[in-house]
């Protein structure tokens, strides 16, 4: 694990080197825009751009990494995958532009904001001088940005924030803080009163590469909010979903696409990957803000940066694989939408995300997952079984046929072919006829009475540990190899998000972060 600020500089250098090497190897055109402060303290940094496609495209897809410097690594690993996978999905008249380290100073220094403490994703407004005042932030500013990080002032600040949450709820804190503010230049989520270099440069790149196109699409990759590992599609080209945590945010860089002349309205999407619970993320950002404005010992600086990295980037392979696969799916869906070929699956996944963002009570996340599974894969009977007692027992926690298959108590699991496949080896179990069901399920007659003669059981892990199976049953022969592959591709990450959401809602409290639950 990296331990010093200098180590985090090396993360940026390594990411940039990998981006440029992959672009050259895959035949993308490269460009570099140095930051005005490059060379300070011996560190070179800037914005790197990779482009593929015709010089005069009809459509352009932009994929942004590192608008917030703390989140660069997630976007960068996704971009490496896109360099290999998007060329085959690209319509001939479309160009793809990948922008690495949009906020170059923040990326090089592991900081959310730019060199002037401006949050680029709050720095896009028609008139920053007239930006609205955030009175809720005003009241919390001194607590969010205490005078010291390890002493009495910090303790008083934590008590004040805890009191706000007790009175208003965590969602209110999330919404009010994320909204941004324009009156405390030294504070959190400061949108600035003038346009910063980061936003100016990005606007120039969008105008340059989007010139003459009839439609632009922008995919901006972020981390920090939502169920761990789930990539929420936040569509800024539509009205916000009622109750969504991001509903009050304004000034996002995706809106720069609107400033480029085009025939059709831009597609503007933020893809937000959950990492930790919001209080941990907020505390880490507060620590880095304190570090920017106060003297700190080397040990303090190292601890704050390590906490910041840990809060915004997850190191376990499951999380990283999820970032890659979900970004790829989102980018391909945007290419189809640009080309007028949006699929039913795209629409169903989008609808699941919207339903998940509105969840407030147990059962609702699994209901959203059920709708997605039935629309995309098909299932007469859909259940969710959560595993307990180190996977030796299960509990049916959701069913679309509660009269025949009600929610159950804990049931010991038999060690048979099903168990060996779905639990021990953690791969999908498939049976496509009545004989296959009878071999492993004691209730096969009940299953048959419901008109089902095939099953797909999809194991779902959280951080590498098996936690549930998603169970789809339908007519004989329904779960073909193509449908099974599609289920793994489409349902796995939504199922993880639904499971995390349900566990959190049923607990009645946000789980405490565990720094020891990830592989080195």
């Amino acid at each position: 694990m990296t331990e010093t600020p200098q180590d985090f500089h090396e993360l940026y250098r390594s990411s940039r080197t990998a981006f440029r090497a992959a672009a050259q190897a895959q035949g993308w055109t490269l460009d570099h825009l140095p930051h005005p402060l490059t060379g300070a303290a011996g560190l070179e940094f800037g914005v790197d751009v990779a482009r593929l496609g015709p010089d005069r495209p009809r459509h352009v897809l932009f994929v942004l990494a590192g608008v917030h410097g703390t989140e660069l690594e997630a976007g960068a690993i996704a971009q490496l995958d896109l360099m290999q996978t998007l060329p085959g999905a690209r319509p001939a008249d479309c160009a793809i532009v990948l922008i690495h380290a949009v906020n170059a100073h923040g990326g090089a220094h592991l900081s959310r904001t730019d060199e002037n403490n401006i949050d680029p994703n709050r720095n896009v407004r028609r008139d920053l001088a007239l930006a609205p005042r955030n009175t809720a932030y005003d009241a919390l500013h001194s607590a969010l940005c205490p005078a010291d990080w390890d002493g009495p002032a910090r303790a008083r600040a934590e008590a004040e924030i805890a009191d706000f949450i007790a009175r208003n709820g965590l969602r209110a804190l999330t919404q009010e803080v994320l909204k941004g503010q324009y009156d405390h230049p030294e504070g959190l989520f400061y949108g600035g009163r003038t346009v910063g270099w980061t936003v100016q440069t990005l606007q120039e790149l969008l105008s340059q590469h989007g010139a003459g196109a009839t439609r632009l699409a922008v995919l901006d990759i972020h981390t920090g909010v939502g169920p761990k590992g789930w990539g929420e599609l936040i569509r800024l080209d539509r009205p916000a979903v009622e109750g969504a945590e991001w509903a009050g945010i304004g000034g996002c860089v995706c809106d720069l696409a609107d400033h480029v002349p085009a025939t059709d309205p831009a597609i503007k999407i933020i893809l937000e990957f959950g990492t930790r619970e919001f209080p941990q993320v907020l505390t880490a950002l507060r620590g880095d803000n304190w570090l920017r404005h106060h003297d700190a010992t080397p040990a303090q600086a190292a601890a704050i940066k390590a906490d910041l990295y840990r809060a915004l980037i997850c190191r376990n392979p499951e999380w990283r694989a999820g970032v890659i696969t979900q970004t790829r799916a989102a980018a391909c869906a945007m290419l189809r939408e640009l080309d007028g070929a949006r699929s039913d699956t795209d629409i169903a996944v989008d609808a699941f995300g919207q339903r998940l963002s509105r969840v407030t009570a147990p059962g609702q996340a699994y209901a959203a997952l059920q709708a997605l599974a039935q629309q995309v894969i098909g299932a007469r009977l859909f259940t969710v079984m959560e595993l307990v007692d180190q996977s030796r027992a299960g509990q049916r926690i959701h069913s679309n046929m509660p009269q025949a298959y009600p929610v159950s108590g804990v049931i010991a699991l038999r060690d048979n072919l099903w168990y060996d496949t779905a639990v021990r080896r953690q791969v999908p179990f498939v049976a496509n006829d009545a004989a296959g069901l009878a071999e492993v399920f004691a209730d096969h007659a009940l299953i048959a009475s419901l008109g089902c003669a095939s099953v797909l059981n999809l194991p779902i892990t959280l951080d590498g540990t098996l936690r549930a199976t998603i169970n789809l049953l339908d007519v004989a022969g329904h779960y073909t190899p193509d449908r099974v592959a599609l289920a793994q591709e489409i349902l796995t990450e939504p199922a993880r998000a639904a499971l995390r959401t349900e566990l959190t809602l049923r607990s009645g409290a946000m789980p405490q972060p565990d720094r020891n639950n990830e592989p080195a």
Side-chain angles (χ1 to χ4, degrees), residues 22 49 53 100 195 212 219 254-255 289 309 350 366 379 414 492 501 504 510:
V49 183
H100 178 273
V195 178
L219 179 61
C254 283
D255 291 332
N289 179 271
Y309 179 84
D350 191 0
Y366 283 151
R414 294 191 301 163
T492 299
T501 300
T504 298
M510 292 296 182

Side-chain angles (χ1 to χ4, degrees), residues 33-37 47 67 102-106 113-125 127-129 182 190-205 251 253 256 259:
L33 290 80
H35 190 279
L37 297 181
V47 178
V67 168
V102 174
N103 174 9
H105 189 277
T113 54
D114 72 3
E115 62 276 11
N116 295 312
N117 197 43
I118 293 174
D119 184 330
N121 240 14
R122 308 294 181 273
N123 191 225
V124 180
R125 290 187 177 273
D127 190 342
L128 286 164
Y182 297 83
Y190 175 59
R193 288 295 185 178
T194 58
V195 178
W197 183 88
T198 293
V199 169
Q200 289 179 3
T201 302
L202 182 56
Q203 181 67 81
E204 292 169 4
L205 288 171
V253 299
L256 293 173
H259 302 174

Side-chain angles (χ1 to χ4, degrees), residues 11 22 26 134 136 156 159-160 182 214 219 225 245 255 263 272 304 339 344 481 519:
L11 283 177
Q26 298 295 327
N134 186 342
R156 289 193 296 271
E160 185 175 341
Y182 297 83
T214 60
L219 179 61
V225 177
E245 293 179 338
D255 291 332
T263 304
E272 180 87 35
I304 286 171
D339 207 37
D344 291 342

Side-chain angles (χ1 to χ4, degrees), residues 332-419:
C332 289
M334 292 174 77
L335 288 175
R336 289 191 290 270
E337 188 170 351
L338 282 171
D339 207 37
R342 195 167 184 235
S343 70
D344 291 342
T345 297
D346 296 336
I347 295 170
V349 172
D350 191 0
F352 169 82
Q354 292 186 54
R355 291 187 66 177
L356 188 69
S357 70
R358 296 195 299 266
V359 165
T360 58
Q364 294 176 350
Y366 283 151
L369 182 65
Q370 173 191 313
L372 175 62
Q374 290 178 318
Q375 290 168 17
V376 176
I377 309 300
R380 290 191 178 190
L381 173 62
F382 176 92
T383 68
V384 178
M385 181 179 70
E386 294 179 9
L387 297 176
V388 296
D389 190 22
Q390 298 180 323
S391 298
R392 289 190 291 264
Q395 182 176 15
R396 188 183 307 115
I397 205 73
H398 175 86
S399 170
N400 74 318
M401 293 185 179
Q403 290 187 334
Y405 278 93
V407 170
S408 70
V410 175
I411 302 171
L413 299 176
R414 294 191 301 163
D415 192 347
N416 57 15
L417 177 62
W418 178 90
Y419 188 92

Side-chain angles (χ1 to χ4, degrees), residues 411-473:
I411 302 171
L413 299 176
R414 294 191 301 163
D415 192 347
N416 57 15
L417 177 62
W418 178 90
Y419 188 92
D420 185 62
T421 304
V423 178
R424 190 171 288 120
R425 295 194 288 125
Q426 297 180 15
V427 296
F429 176 84
V430 180
N432 267 312
D433 55 32
L437 295 180
E439 183 178 356
V440 295
F441 296 138
D443 55 347
H444 60 90
L446 175 58
I447 292 173
S449 73
L450 300 175
C452 298
S454 65
V455 65
L456 166 59
N457 304 113
L458 189 64
I460 301 300
T461 60
L462 297 183
D463 299 327
T465 299
L466 183 65
R467 298 296 299 273
T469 63
I470 308 302
N471 312 306
L472 293 74
L473 294 94

Side-chain angles (χ1 to χ4, degrees), residues 51-374:
R51 176 180 171 130
L52 187 70
D55 292 335
R56 299 179 62 82
R58 184 164 67 102
H59 301 138
V60 184
L61 170 64
F62 295 88
V63 183
L64 314 182
V67 168
H68 294 141
T70 44
E71 303 160 32
L72 171 62
E73 188 172 329
I77 61 175
Q79 287 180 332
L80 293 179
D81 172 77
L82 295 182
M83 287 183 192
Q84 292 185 315
T85 58
L86 281 193
R90 180 184 64 83
D93 58 359
C94 180
I96 302 171
V97 180
L98 310 180
I99 305 179
H100 178 273
V102 174
N103 174 9
H105 189 277
H109 295 83
L110 193 72
S111 181
R112 176 185 176 92
T113 54
D114 72 3
E115 62 276 11
N116 295 312
N117 197 43
I118 293 174
D119 184 330
N121 240 14
R122 308 294 181 273
N123 191 225
V124 180
R125 290 187 177 273
R126 292 192 179 278
D127 190 342
L128 286 164
L130 299 177
R133 189 165 194 108
N134 186 342
T135 56
Y137 178 90
D138 290 346
L140 281 173
H141 171 68
S142 60
L144 293 169
C145 304
D148 66 67
W149 196 241
D150 297 312
R154 170 77 186 280
R156 289 193 296 271
E158 299 309 309
E160 185 175 341
I161 294 172
D163 179 65
F164 179 93
I165 295 173
R167 288 184 289 107
N168 303 285
L170 181 62
R171 182 175 287 266
L173 176 66
T174 306
Q175 291 174 323
E176 297 301 338
V177 171
L178 288 182
K179 189 182 296 182
Q181 54 85 20
Y182 297 83
D183 297 286
H184 302 273
E186 77 289 2
L188 289 174
F189 308 104
Y190 175 59
R193 288 295 185 178
T194 58
V195 178
W197 183 88
T198 293
V199 169
Q200 289 179 3
T201 302
L202 182 56
Q203 181 67 81
E204 292 169 4
L205 288 171
L206 294 179
S207 298
Q208 171 191 340
H209 291 278
T214 60
R215 196 176 196 189
L216 309 183
V218 180
L219 179 61
D220 184 14
I221 305 167
H222 287 265
T223 68
V225 177
K228 183 178 180 181
W230 170 242
E232 181 182 3
L233 282 171
I234 300 171
R235 295 207 60 147
L236 299 182
D237 49 9
R238 300 175 183 167
V241 175
E242 184 178 356
E245 293 179 338
W246 54 272
I249 297 175
C252 297
V253 299
C254 283
D255 291 332
L256 293 173
D258 296 333
H259 302 174
V260 181
T263 304
D264 300 322
I267 301 169
K268 302 179 299 184
I269 294 178
I270 292 175
L271 186 55
E272 180 87 35
F273 290 98
T275 51
R276 312 294 182 185
E277 300 302 332
F278 182 70
Q280 182 180 354
V281 175
L282 179 60
T283 298
L285 294 173
R286 291 169 60 213
D288 195 50
N289 179 271
W290 180 88
L291 183 62
R292 177 188 287 267
H293 297 105
H294 298 84
D295 293 330
T297 65
Q300 279 180 311
I304 286 171
K305 288 296 187 184
D307 284 346
L308 183 65
Y309 179 84
R310 191 179 291 111
L312 276 303
I313 299 293
C314 298
R315 303 179 71 207
N316 71 65
E318 183 178 277
W319 187 87
R320 289 173 178 256
V323 168
I324 290 170
T325 58
Q326 291 175 84
T327 302
R328 183 194 309 156
C332 289
M334 292 174 77
L335 288 175
R336 289 191 290 270
E337 188 170 351
L338 282 171
D339 207 37
R342 195 167 184 235
S343 70
D344 291 342
T345 297
D346 296 336
I347 295 170
V349 172
D350 191 0
F352 169 82
Q354 292 186 54
R355 291 187 66 177
L356 188 69
S357 70
R358 296 195 299 266
V359 165
T360 58
Q364 294 176 350
Y366 283 151
L369 182 65
Q370 173 191 313
L372 175 62
Q374 290 178 318

